[in-house]
Amino acid sequence: MPTTEPELLWQPSPERIARAPITRFAEHVGRPGPYDQLWRWSVDDLEGFWAAVWDYFGVDASYDRVLASREMPGARWFTGAELNYAEHLLRGKDDGALAIQHASESRELSAWTWGDLRGEVARIRAGLQARGIGKGDRVAAYLPNIPETIAAFLATASLGALWSSAAPEFGARAVIDSFAQIEPKVLLTVDGYRYGGRDFDRSAQVQQIAQEIGAPVVRLGYLDGSGWEEGFLADGPLAFERVAFDHPLWLLYSSGTTGLPKPIVHGHGGILLEQLKKMHLHLDAQAGDRVFWFTTTGWMMWNFLVGVLHTPASIVLYDGNPAGEVLWDLAADAGITVFGTSAAFIASSMKDGVEPAAGRDLSRLHAVGSTGSPLTPEGFQWVYDQLGADTWLFSTSGGTDVCTAFVGGVPTLPVYRGELQARSLGCDVQAWDEDGNAVVGEVGELVIAQPMPSMPLFFWGDDDGSRLRESYFEMFPGVWRHGDWIEITDRGTAIIYGRSDSTINRGGVRMGTSEIYRAVLSLDEVLDALVVDVEGWMPLFVVLREGAELDDDLTKRIAACIREHCSPRHVPNEVHAIKEVPRTLSGKALEVPVKKILMGQDPTKAASRESLANPQALDVFVDLAAARA
């Protein structure tokens, strides 16, 4: 799967390069010049780089050593330091300055100032304290993407307690599977939410969750507009419990499509440093920017978006159905400058014929970010066709595991069609062959060869560390293997080819599923697709546009596309039309669980239905497996 000569889509202007925070940082550390030289220094001298990030962004704490142990897992960063994530985020902003804009299907576009945010954090903090919440306790939140949720998280962090959130659309069992593992001391929850024009009461789900995890409930009236329940908010100072650099901040969860989700613990200091680096230097968030990313509280991009508040920029939240043109309306109404979304959303907008700039003033929008899955070259082109040649499009790749993108945007570099701009500073990302040799211009396993501060401290309940080692360090001991196929080009750009555990090997030719999807989705009739290889049998499942029919002609054209653009060996044995591709709540297709179901595994063990956005979409695969048995 070698790269061909790339097509240049965008080049930053000299003015943009000059005003970028990454340019000023490079000058500060005495390394102006090509980005690749700055990146190389950042991984050759980890201690020097992360100490520079600490100093440059004014982390208010002293430390003994930057990196006391480089071992993976188990690296020890900034020993002796005591700090608080929330304290750093909430400092230094004028009370009257804009912090958050927010809208939902049940709320008009509104705004919170920094004074509003600090005041709400202090009141929630006092309310949590009154309920006995303190350092090391767990606070579980069944809350949507609204400002009150951000305030509740910061209040939790200010106490040195651990935050764990799930979106209200998650089913009760999926939430219980996550929260029961961490034994929270309180459950913050809404009464319900509105999605697609319908109200969803969650009272029964909340009752079930609270009963099974054994936590008292504090209710936020979201649907009825009543706010926090009477007696919860209290007067109290905005104070902060300083904790060790590696004190737990929050728990995120693996997708949980099979078995219990793994509770991933990240630390105050590691996340703080990673977000200071990422939001300033890579996201390029500056004064006047209004940064949006469509997400729910059950996806790491919510945590990522909160981190933008470490910069002079403000953020924009949306809770509701993103289908159609509602997010582009929001971009115009809120004056969004950085519009973050998923590759799936861009693909859907392409297929639906959406024209973002038609009838809207998007003149403030200057950057678009994409994540969740590889963005196709056609998706790159669509963004430039629709939003203009001066748009900075940055496709990113990372993961819940490190709560960041380790390959993606650099505001001072060009954008090439279908490629991620570069590896992030401080992230020693490499492509390795099966023997552990780094390769350039070839597809290999994505590894991180040196530690990052935001790597997991541990998995909750994994006392001996065996689950952590098995998840990331089994293939290459002492080196993080992420589970994606990546190619690093000789220009330093990157191409992600999808999950290495779902790659299809036919006759010795390996092919990432993303390449097959790109070929199939080039046909107007096909809206979505899923492909698996089941012990030599390779079925392809397609979602068709309304009115389209999977007849012999379309089947032959699908085969021809794959033969031409992928390889003759990857032409599917069968093509089936389905209503929808099963996906997690964060939008990832369930390739591996579907493969397990078709291989005969018990469907209840292959996938946790309540962790899915559309659990009914699995039924067709269960029926097919039964028919093949």
Side-chain angles (χ1 to χ4, degrees), residues 213-229:
I213 69 175
V217 172
V218 174
R219 176 183 171 277
L220 172 68
Y222 179 43
L223 271 182
D224 65 19
S226 61
W228 290 109
E229 67 180 52

Side-chain angles (χ1 to χ4, degrees), residues 4 128 145 160 184 190 211 240 246 298 303 312 334 346 364 437 449 474 501 546 566 600 603 618:
T4 56
L128 291 173
N145 184 26
V190 285
Q211 183 175 348
F240 303 95
D246 60 357
N303 307 70
I346 292 175
R364 295 200 63 191
N437 301 309
E474 196 170 65
D501 55 8
E546 186 175 352
C566 300
L618 280 180

Side-chain angles (χ1 to χ4, degrees), residues 153 167 184 190 255 293-294 310 377 390 414 430 484 507 516 601 614 616:
F153 156 60
V190 285
S255 60
W293 213 292
F294 181 75
H310 286 295
D390 197 33
Q430 301 178 22
D484 283 339
I516 297 172
Q601 186 174 117
N614 52 352
Q616 70 282 353

Side-chain angles (χ1 to χ4, degrees), residues 331-381:
D333 294 342
I336 289 171
T337 62
V338 181
F339 183 94
T341 185
S342 65
F345 176 83
I346 292 175
S348 176
S349 295
M350 291 170 59
K351 288 288 185 179
D352 292 343
V354 172
E355 297 181 2
R360 298 181 187 88
D361 180 7
L362 298 180
S363 58
R364 295 200 63 191
L365 182 62
H366 63 76
V368 173
S370 173
T371 193
S373 57
L375 181 62
T376 65
E378 293 77 13
F380 274 74
Q381 191 63 56

Side-chain angles (χ1 to χ4, degrees), residues 505-554:
N505 186 335
R506 303 269 285 183
V509 178
R510 296 186 306 182
M511 184 69 60
T513 54
S514 63
E515 294 182 275
I516 297 172
Y517 299 147
R518 178 188 171 193
V520 173
L521 294 176
S522 67
L523 298 169
D524 288 340
E525 295 93 334
V526 182
L527 298 177
D528 205 355
L530 184 144
V531 65
V532 293
D533 182 38
V534 184
E535 298 175 335
W537 172 59
M538 180 181 150
L540 171 69
F541 303 91
V542 293
V543 179
L544 299 180
R545 187 182 298 279
E546 186 175 352
E549 180 183 350
L550 186 63
D551 53 18
D552 286 345
D553 175 67
L554 181 55

Side-chain angles (χ1 to χ4, degrees), residues 160-396:
L162 285 69
W163 173 263
S164 182
S165 61
E169 57 264 37
F170 279 37
R173 177 50 50 191
V175 176
I176 292 164
D177 286 347
S178 296
F179 288 168
Q181 297 183 68
I182 65 171
E183 300 176 301
K185 203 167 182 177
V186 66
L187 173 64
L188 309 179
T189 180
V190 285
D191 51 346
Y193 63 94
R194 183 171 297 162
Y195 189 91
R198 292 178 55 202
D199 288 348
F200 293 86
D201 185 285
R202 305 307 273 171
S203 301
Q205 287 81 0
V206 169
Q207 183 178 1
Q208 181 184 353
I209 294 165
Q211 183 175 348
E212 293 208 31
I213 69 175
V217 172
V218 174
R219 176 183 171 277
L220 172 68
Y222 179 43
L223 271 182
D224 65 19
S226 61
W228 290 109
E229 67 180 52
E230 187 175 352
F232 174 55
L233 300 180
D235 292 330
L238 183 58
F240 303 95
E241 176 77 19
R242 289 209 162 191
V243 294
F245 184 90
D246 60 357
H247 182 78
L249 172 65
W250 59 44
L251 296 109
L252 303 182
Y253 298 90
S254 62
S255 60
T257 53
T258 59
L260 288 177
K262 296 186 288 287
I264 301 167
V265 182
H266 294 121
H268 274 249
I271 291 296
L272 171 60
L273 275 191
E274 176 59 35
Q275 291 189 340
L276 288 173
K277 177 208 75 177
K278 192 68 184 177
M279 308 313 170
H280 286 277
L281 306 184
H282 291 280
L283 191 64
D284 198 42
Q286 302 185 46
D289 274 326
R290 299 180 178 186
V291 178
F292 167 79
W293 213 292
F294 181 75
T295 183
T296 73
T297 57
W299 187 22
M300 60 141 285
M301 291 309 298
W302 180 83
N303 307 70
F304 182 95
L305 183 60
V306 171
V308 175
L309 293 174
H310 286 295
T311 75
S314 60
I315 63 174
V316 182
L317 314 179
Y318 181 74
D319 177 51
N321 187 351
E325 305 195 14
V326 62
L327 297 187
W328 299 114
D329 289 339
L330 178 66
D333 294 342
I336 289 171
T337 62
V338 181
F339 183 94
T341 185
S342 65
F345 176 83
I346 292 175
S348 176
S349 295
M350 291 170 59
K351 288 288 185 179
D352 292 343
V354 172
E355 297 181 2
R360 298 181 187 88
D361 180 7
L362 298 180
S363 58
R364 295 200 63 191
L365 182 62
H366 63 76
V368 173
S370 173
T371 193
S373 57
L375 181 62
T376 65
E378 293 77 13
F380 274 74
Q381 191 63 56
W382 182 86
V383 169
Y384 283 96
D385 289 344
Q386 294 295 328
L387 297 174
D390 197 33
T391 304
W392 171 37
L393 169 61
F394 56 97
S395 178
T396 69

Side-chain angles (χ1 to χ4, degrees), residues 7 21 70 193 231 237 297 303 335 356 405 434 445 464 487 489 510 589:
E7 179 183 349
R70 303 174 68 94
Y193 63 94
T297 57
N303 307 70
E434 59 187 15
E445 286 276 358
D464 64 359
E487 177 184 354
T489 73
R510 296 186 306 182

